[in-house]
Structure formats: structure tokens, C-alpha cells
Amino acid sequence: MRAPPPPLSRRASSPPHLLLLSNSSSSSLAPPPCRRGRQAAVARSVSVSTAVEAPTSAAEPARGDAASAAAPRRRLILLRHGESAAGGRLTRDHDRPLSKAGKAAAISVSNKLQQMGWIPELVLCSDATRTKETLKILQEHVKGLSEAIVHFIPSFYSIAAMDGQTAEHLQKAICEYSSDEILTVMCMGHNKGWEEAASMFSGDSVVLKTCNAALLEAEGKSWVEV
């Protein structure tokens, strides 16, 4: 296994961007707070029901930066599972299925990802029932997603409950399972770890309610570099 990369670094001329997909009925635009030693990312919170601008091609280089002309845009989707049902008295938390609302929210996020053109080529997913069901709905509603490589990773379920460990764990998993030809990766899991990882990667304070997604974009010749 390759050694884990350092936390996401930033070029002053081309900071990563963070887009938040939520199930709220309103959208807002606000700059994130700067964190020590980091340049703030651009953050937007967008309702799944609002229109969005045409997506930038993942392979389109940054303009006006000759050094990054050969570095493609790489996209990371951190998606929290849909709302789960309570389950029976003997149902383990790991085995709780999606609720009716959770299924509807997964369809809404599917439509938003389809509209934006954020179609992952690689999906790394917790093996919990609610995350697997969320993925199945996405595969049914996002054109091209059924062709993505999928790996179910049991540790995604447990690591999310451990303070401050999810970001590094995701970095290791992405570098282990991905290749430099893959430009868009989606990691599906749970809070509190997914919020912590999104906040650490972006330099913003990110809140991920059920079936919310943090979309991060940066330039790099490899996933290790990003």
C-alpha cells in the first residue's frame, strides 16, 4: 500500500472549490472562514431544487496558469447516506435501511449530480445497508454511474465514529483504489467523520445533513499530489 499523502495542499493562484449540495429549500452564498495556514476555499450551499450553471469539464485546465496546464481538475464527492428508518428492536444500526424520506432525498441528489455533470468513475462506499441503498438509487437515476468501479469498504462505517481519523483514512483509500486516469471519486459514508473530512479538506466548516454532499475540486497530476 502506498504511503498516505499529506493533507490537501493549495496553490495560491488556484485554490480548491467546495460546493455543498443540500436538501434545503433555499440557497445561500457565503465565504468560509480562513483556517490557520490555509487559504479559504470558495463555498456555496445550493438547494437540490435550484438550477446550476453548466459544469466545467473535469479535464479542463485552469486559465492563465502555464504551470497547471497539464494538471487536470480532480473532483471528490463526499456524500452522506440518506435518512435511515428506525428499524426493529433487534436491528443493528449497521443494518438499518433507508426511510421513505431518505429514498426521496437520494433521488433529489441524484438529479442534482446528473444536472451538474459530476459523475464519479470510482465509488468507495461504506458497507452499511443505508449507504448501499443510497448508492443503488444513485445508480438507477444518474446516467453513467452504473459503469463506475465500486468498492464497499467496511472500515468506512467504523472510522466515521472516531474523532479526527476519517480524513486520513479517506486519503489512504482514494490513493489505494484509484488511478491517475480517474478524475472523479465519490466516497459515501457517515457522520461525524464525513463532516470532519469535508471541513479538513476544504478549510471550511462543513455541515452535512443526511443525503448532503460536499463537492471538492482541485488541480493535480495525480491523486497523491491533490
Side-chain angles (χ1 to χ4, degrees), residues 145-226:
L145 182 54
S146 60
E147 301 173 6
I149 301 168
V150 177
H151 294 282
F152 293 104
I153 304 179
S155 59
F156 275 17
Y157 174 77
S158 56
I159 200 71
M162 302 179 185
D163 289 332
Q165 297 189 38
T166 302
E168 182 178 355
H169 191 75
L170 292 180
Q171 287 178 306
K172 290 179 179 179
I174 292 168
C175 291
E176 178 180 355
Y177 288 99
S178 188
S179 65
D180 294 342
E181 291 72 30
I182 291 175
L183 298 179
T184 304
V185 176
M186 179 165 66
C187 294
M188 299 178 61
H190 313 263
N191 269 357
K192 57 188 170 181
W194 256 239
E195 283 186 346
E196 289 181 349
S199 299
M200 183 174 295
F201 291 159
S202 67
D204 189 8
S205 180
V206 178
V207 175
L208 292 179
K209 298 181 181 179
T210 52
C211 224
N212 282 192
L215 314 183
L216 299 108
E217 183 178 63
E219 296 167 0
K221 296 181 181 179
S222 70
W223 281 103
V224 172
E225 178 182 321
V226 172

Side-chain angles (χ1 to χ4, degrees), residues 111-171:
N111 294 337
K112 178 62 67 172
L113 291 173
Q114 180 75 64
Q115 183 181 6
M116 296 179 65
W118 280 61
I119 313 300
E121 302 148 86
L122 172 67
V123 178
L124 306 179
C125 183
S126 161
D127 68 344
T129 299
R130 53 191 178 274
T131 48
K132 293 169 74 173
E133 289 186 353
T134 302
L135 173 59
K136 185 175 185 294
I137 291 173
L138 264 64
Q139 289 173 323
E140 292 171 348
H141 291 83
V142 179
K143 184 178 180 180
L145 182 54
S146 60
E147 301 173 6
I149 301 168
V150 177
H151 294 282
F152 293 104
I153 304 179
S155 59
F156 275 17
Y157 174 77
S158 56
I159 200 71
M162 302 179 185
D163 289 332
Q165 297 189 38
T166 302
E168 182 178 355
H169 191 75
L170 292 180
Q171 287 178 306

